[in-house]
Amino acid sequence: VAPSFIGVSTFAPSSASTLTTSAWPSCAATKTGVVPLFFGVAPMTCLITTFEFVFTPWLFYKTYVIGPGFVPTGVSDFASWAATMERVSATQGGSSVAENASKMMINNRYCKTCHCARPLRSKHCPFCNRCVEKMDHHCPITMTCIGARNQRWFFMAVLSMFIGQCGFLHVSHLFYRMLVDIEAPRVGGTGFMPTVVTHFYVVFNRPFGMILYAIAFLFTIYCAGILVRMFIGVCVNLTVNEMENAARY
């Protein structure tokens, strides 16, 4: 009898033994439908995964649109630029404007590229060609920096992507188990070697699916690493840039 998670409980052993990996999709589509194949097994996983795969791009889009919070320049906002220059220069402890300006240059509190004052925790991004407030890192996915304004949105986007990837891996694992159980009668026998042969048969006859499974697994680990790194940064009140350059700061 086929496993219950396939959604078909009337397969006889003789019918299952004649199934091939190429015939299985049409059989599954005939019996249960393509979409609800795993929906009856893990409905919440399917719903959450689908939602996250739609919600995640929107969160990354919001991260890009909101922006990291660039330090104002004389061209972008003269009033804010002048206020920032006065505020930062006042922290240098000089007795005159000229002395404060010199100390800003010496203490690396003035960006020669943007021609603006650099508040604490800001850093010039060579990709954006702007100084970013509370610079975390430059993200190639969002094509912008992660800073004071969009850091929370980026964290939510990565968390949403991680949840979606975990759901995808879960459904992929169910798919792999289904293939193994369907092909097991073709191999015949029980024990260690028939099981190994069945697994190898499934892997080598579904290369695209197995490669996609492996890539998704690696990306899930990478995504989890980003989440852990950002969570640690939140706990210790440090950005990624500050943690990576702690010796310099």
Side-chain angles (χ1 to χ4, degrees), residues 111-211:
C111 180
K112 298 178 181 179
T113 303
C114 298
H115 302 289
C116 65
R118 293 177 56 183
L120 287 175
R121 310 187 76 176
S122 63
K123 185 178 183 296
H124 183 83
C125 175
F127 300 100
C128 298
N129 200 30
R130 290 286 300 274
C131 285
V132 179
E133 296 179 357
K134 197 180 177 183
M135 169 73 166
D136 192 86
H137 69 284
H138 183 87
C139 177
I141 299 177
T142 58
M143 297 182 292
T144 188
C145 283
I146 307 303
R149 293 186 59 191
N150 62 359
Q151 190 175 33
R152 293 181 180 180
W153 288 95
F154 179 77
F155 181 80
M156 289 190 295
V158 176
L159 178 61
S160 176
M161 182 170 63
F162 176 73
I163 295 174
Q165 287 175 330
C166 288
F168 178 80
L169 285 179
H170 177 62
V171 175
S172 298
H173 180 66
L174 292 179
F175 174 72
Y176 179 77
R177 283 177 50 197
M178 180 183 296
L179 292 179
V180 170
D181 288 333
I182 288 177
E183 295 299 338
R186 289 170 48 84
V187 177
T190 58
F192 177 75
M193 284 308 299
T195 302
V196 171
V197 171
T198 302
H199 282 275
F200 269 99
Y201 184 87
V202 170
V203 169
F204 284 104
N205 281 273
R206 296 280 180 167
F208 178 77
M210 295 302 106
I211 292 175

Side-chain angles (χ1 to χ4, degrees), residues 85-86 89-90 92-105:
M85 290 286 287
E86 292 179 4
S89 63
Q92 301 306 301
S95 58
S96 64
V97 176
E99 185 178 355
N100 284 334
S102 298
K103 288 188 175 183
M104 285 175 61
M105 299 290 290

Side-chain angles (χ1 to χ4, degrees), residues 15-29:
S15 300
S17 62
T18 59
L19 273 173
T20 63
T21 55
S22 60
W24 170 77
S26 61
C27 176

